[in-house]
Short mmCIF file of all heavy atoms in Angstrom, two decimals:
data_model
loop_
_atom_site.label_atom_id
_atom_site.label_comp_id
_atom_site.label_asym_id
_atom_site.label_seq_id
_atom_site.Cartn_x
_atom_site.Cartn_y
_atom_site.Cartn_z
N ILE A 194 -64.88 46.79 53.64
CA ILE A 194 -65.05 47.12 55.06
C ILE A 194 -63.72 47.24 55.81
O ILE A 194 -63.48 48.21 56.53
CB ILE A 194 -65.96 46.07 55.74
CG1 ILE A 194 -67.32 46.05 55.03
CG2 ILE A 194 -66.11 46.34 57.23
CD1 ILE A 194 -68.20 44.89 55.44
N SER A 195 -62.85 46.25 55.67
CA SER A 195 -61.56 46.30 56.39
C SER A 195 -60.46 45.77 55.47
O SER A 195 -60.69 44.91 54.62
CB SER A 195 -61.62 45.47 57.67
OG SER A 195 -61.83 44.09 57.38
N PRO A 196 -59.22 46.31 55.61
CA PRO A 196 -58.14 45.93 54.71
C PRO A 196 -57.64 44.50 54.94
O PRO A 196 -57.72 43.97 56.06
CB PRO A 196 -57.04 46.95 55.02
CG PRO A 196 -57.32 47.38 56.41
CD PRO A 196 -58.81 47.35 56.57
N MET A 197 -57.13 43.89 53.86
CA MET A 197 -56.49 42.58 53.95
C MET A 197 -54.98 42.81 54.02
O MET A 197 -54.32 42.94 52.98
CB MET A 197 -56.86 41.71 52.74
CG MET A 197 -58.31 41.29 52.71
SD MET A 197 -58.72 40.24 51.29
CE MET A 197 -58.94 41.49 50.00
N TYR A 198 -54.44 42.93 55.24
CA TYR A 198 -53.01 43.14 55.42
C TYR A 198 -52.26 41.84 55.13
O TYR A 198 -52.60 40.79 55.65
CB TYR A 198 -52.71 43.63 56.83
CG TYR A 198 -53.12 45.06 57.08
CD1 TYR A 198 -54.15 45.38 57.97
CD2 TYR A 198 -52.48 46.11 56.44
CE1 TYR A 198 -54.53 46.69 58.20
CE2 TYR A 198 -52.84 47.43 56.66
CZ TYR A 198 -53.87 47.71 57.54
OH TYR A 198 -54.24 49.02 57.75
N LEU A 199 -51.23 41.94 54.33
CA LEU A 199 -50.48 40.76 53.88
C LEU A 199 -49.24 40.53 54.74
O LEU A 199 -48.62 41.48 55.20
CB LEU A 199 -50.07 40.95 52.42
CG LEU A 199 -51.24 41.13 51.45
CD1 LEU A 199 -50.71 41.40 50.04
CD2 LEU A 199 -52.15 39.91 51.45
N PRO A 200 -48.88 39.24 54.91
CA PRO A 200 -49.60 38.03 54.50
C PRO A 200 -50.77 37.75 55.44
O PRO A 200 -50.77 38.20 56.59
CB PRO A 200 -48.52 36.95 54.62
CG PRO A 200 -47.65 37.43 55.74
CD PRO A 200 -47.62 38.93 55.62
N CYS A 201 -51.74 37.00 54.93
CA CYS A 201 -52.89 36.68 55.76
C CYS A 201 -53.62 35.46 55.21
O CYS A 201 -53.38 35.03 54.08
CB CYS A 201 -53.85 37.87 55.86
SG CYS A 201 -54.65 38.29 54.30
N LYS A 202 -54.49 34.92 56.05
CA LYS A 202 -55.41 33.87 55.62
C LYS A 202 -56.82 34.43 55.70
O LYS A 202 -57.18 35.08 56.68
CB LYS A 202 -55.29 32.63 56.51
CG LYS A 202 -53.99 31.87 56.34
CD LYS A 202 -53.97 30.60 57.19
CE LYS A 202 -52.68 29.81 56.98
NZ LYS A 202 -52.68 28.57 57.79
N VAL A 203 -57.60 34.19 54.67
CA VAL A 203 -58.98 34.68 54.63
C VAL A 203 -59.91 33.54 54.27
O VAL A 203 -59.50 32.53 53.69
CB VAL A 203 -59.14 35.83 53.59
CG1 VAL A 203 -58.33 37.04 54.01
CG2 VAL A 203 -58.73 35.37 52.21
N LYS A 204 -61.17 33.73 54.65
CA LYS A 204 -62.19 32.74 54.32
C LYS A 204 -63.14 33.34 53.30
O LYS A 204 -63.70 34.43 53.50
CB LYS A 204 -62.95 32.32 55.58
CG LYS A 204 -62.09 31.53 56.55
CD LYS A 204 -62.88 31.02 57.74
CE LYS A 204 -63.12 32.11 58.76
NZ LYS A 204 -63.71 31.59 60.01
N LEU A 205 -63.31 32.65 52.19
CA LEU A 205 -64.22 33.07 51.12
C LEU A 205 -65.51 32.29 51.25
O LEU A 205 -65.52 31.05 51.24
CB LEU A 205 -63.58 32.81 49.76
CG LEU A 205 -64.49 32.87 48.53
CD1 LEU A 205 -65.16 34.23 48.41
CD2 LEU A 205 -63.69 32.56 47.27
N GLY A 206 -66.61 33.01 51.40
CA GLY A 206 -67.92 32.38 51.53
C GLY A 206 -68.87 32.83 50.45
O GLY A 206 -68.91 34.02 50.12
N VAL A 207 -69.63 31.91 49.88
CA VAL A 207 -70.63 32.21 48.86
C VAL A 207 -71.92 31.51 49.26
O VAL A 207 -71.92 30.33 49.58
CB VAL A 207 -70.18 31.73 47.46
CG1 VAL A 207 -71.27 32.01 46.43
CG2 VAL A 207 -68.88 32.40 47.06
N LEU A 208 -73.03 32.25 49.24
CA LEU A 208 -74.32 31.70 49.67
C LEU A 208 -75.39 32.09 48.66
O LEU A 208 -75.59 33.28 48.38
CB LEU A 208 -74.68 32.25 51.06
CG LEU A 208 -76.02 31.78 51.65
CD1 LEU A 208 -76.00 30.27 51.88
CD2 LEU A 208 -76.30 32.50 52.96
N GLN A 209 -76.07 31.08 48.12
CA GLN A 209 -77.14 31.32 47.16
C GLN A 209 -78.47 31.48 47.90
O GLN A 209 -78.85 30.65 48.70
CB GLN A 209 -77.25 30.15 46.18
CG GLN A 209 -78.30 30.32 45.10
CD GLN A 209 -77.93 31.40 44.10
OE1 GLN A 209 -76.78 31.49 43.69
NE2 GLN A 209 -78.89 32.22 43.71
N LYS A 210 -79.16 32.61 47.64
CA LYS A 210 -80.48 32.87 48.24
C LYS A 210 -81.45 33.23 47.13
O LYS A 210 -81.46 34.37 46.65
CB LYS A 210 -80.40 34.00 49.26
CG LYS A 210 -79.71 33.63 50.56
CD LYS A 210 -79.84 34.75 51.58
CE LYS A 210 -79.27 34.37 52.93
NZ LYS A 210 -79.43 35.46 53.93
N ASP A 211 -82.27 32.27 46.72
CA ASP A 211 -83.19 32.46 45.60
C ASP A 211 -82.40 32.98 44.39
O ASP A 211 -81.44 32.35 43.97
CB ASP A 211 -84.32 33.43 45.99
CG ASP A 211 -85.17 32.87 47.14
OD1 ASP A 211 -85.37 31.64 47.16
OD2 ASP A 211 -85.60 33.66 47.99
N GLU A 212 -82.77 34.15 43.85
CA GLU A 212 -82.06 34.67 42.69
C GLU A 212 -80.82 35.48 43.06
O GLU A 212 -80.00 35.79 42.21
CB GLU A 212 -82.99 35.54 41.85
CG GLU A 212 -84.10 34.77 41.15
CD GLU A 212 -84.87 35.64 40.20
OE1 GLU A 212 -84.97 36.87 40.45
OE2 GLU A 212 -85.37 35.12 39.20
N CYS A 213 -80.68 35.82 44.33
CA CYS A 213 -79.55 36.63 44.79
C CYS A 213 -78.45 35.73 45.36
O CYS A 213 -78.72 34.79 46.10
CB CYS A 213 -80.02 37.62 45.86
SG CYS A 213 -78.69 38.59 46.60
N THR A 214 -77.21 36.03 44.99
CA THR A 214 -76.05 35.33 45.55
C THR A 214 -75.28 36.29 46.44
O THR A 214 -74.92 37.39 46.01
CB THR A 214 -75.13 34.79 44.44
OG1 THR A 214 -75.87 33.93 43.57
CG2 THR A 214 -73.97 34.02 45.02
N GLU A 215 -75.04 35.88 47.68
CA GLU A 215 -74.26 36.68 48.61
C GLU A 215 -72.86 36.10 48.72
O GLU A 215 -72.67 34.88 48.65
CB GLU A 215 -74.92 36.70 50.00
CG GLU A 215 -76.32 37.31 50.00
CD GLU A 215 -76.97 37.27 51.38
OE1 GLU A 215 -76.35 36.68 52.30
OE2 GLU A 215 -78.06 37.83 51.53
N PHE A 216 -71.87 36.98 48.88
CA PHE A 216 -70.50 36.51 49.01
C PHE A 216 -69.71 37.45 49.92
O PHE A 216 -70.14 38.57 50.20
CB PHE A 216 -69.81 36.41 47.64
CG PHE A 216 -69.75 37.70 46.88
CD1 PHE A 216 -68.69 38.58 47.07
CD2 PHE A 216 -70.75 38.05 45.99
CE1 PHE A 216 -68.63 39.78 46.37
CE2 PHE A 216 -70.70 39.24 45.28
CZ PHE A 216 -69.63 40.11 45.48
N GLY A 217 -68.56 36.97 50.39
CA GLY A 217 -67.74 37.82 51.24
C GLY A 217 -66.40 37.20 51.54
O GLY A 217 -66.21 35.98 51.42
N PHE A 218 -65.46 38.05 51.91
CA PHE A 218 -64.16 37.63 52.42
C PHE A 218 -64.17 37.93 53.92
O PHE A 218 -64.45 39.05 54.33
CB PHE A 218 -63.05 38.43 51.75
CG PHE A 218 -62.39 37.70 50.60
CD1 PHE A 218 -63.11 36.87 49.77
CD2 PHE A 218 -61.03 37.88 50.35
CE1 PHE A 218 -62.51 36.22 48.71
CE2 PHE A 218 -60.42 37.25 49.28
CZ PHE A 218 -61.16 36.42 48.46
N TYR A 219 -63.82 36.91 54.70
CA TYR A 219 -63.83 37.04 56.15
C TYR A 219 -62.45 36.74 56.70
O TYR A 219 -61.72 35.91 56.15
CB TYR A 219 -64.85 36.06 56.75
CG TYR A 219 -66.23 36.18 56.16
CD1 TYR A 219 -66.59 35.47 55.02
CD2 TYR A 219 -67.18 37.02 56.74
CE1 TYR A 219 -67.86 35.59 54.46
CE2 TYR A 219 -68.45 37.14 56.19
CZ TYR A 219 -68.78 36.42 55.06
OH TYR A 219 -70.03 36.55 54.51
#
Side-chain angles (χ1 to χ4, degrees):
I194 301 170
S195 64
M197 292 181 278
Y198 287 113
L199 300 176
C201 66
K202 290 184 178 181
V203 295
K204 292 185 282 188
L205 166 58
V207 178
L208 179 63
Q209 183 69 42
K210 287 188 175 181
D211 297 324
E212 291 188 330
C213 176
T214 303
E215 299 178 355
F216 59 88
F218 262 35
Y219 306 88

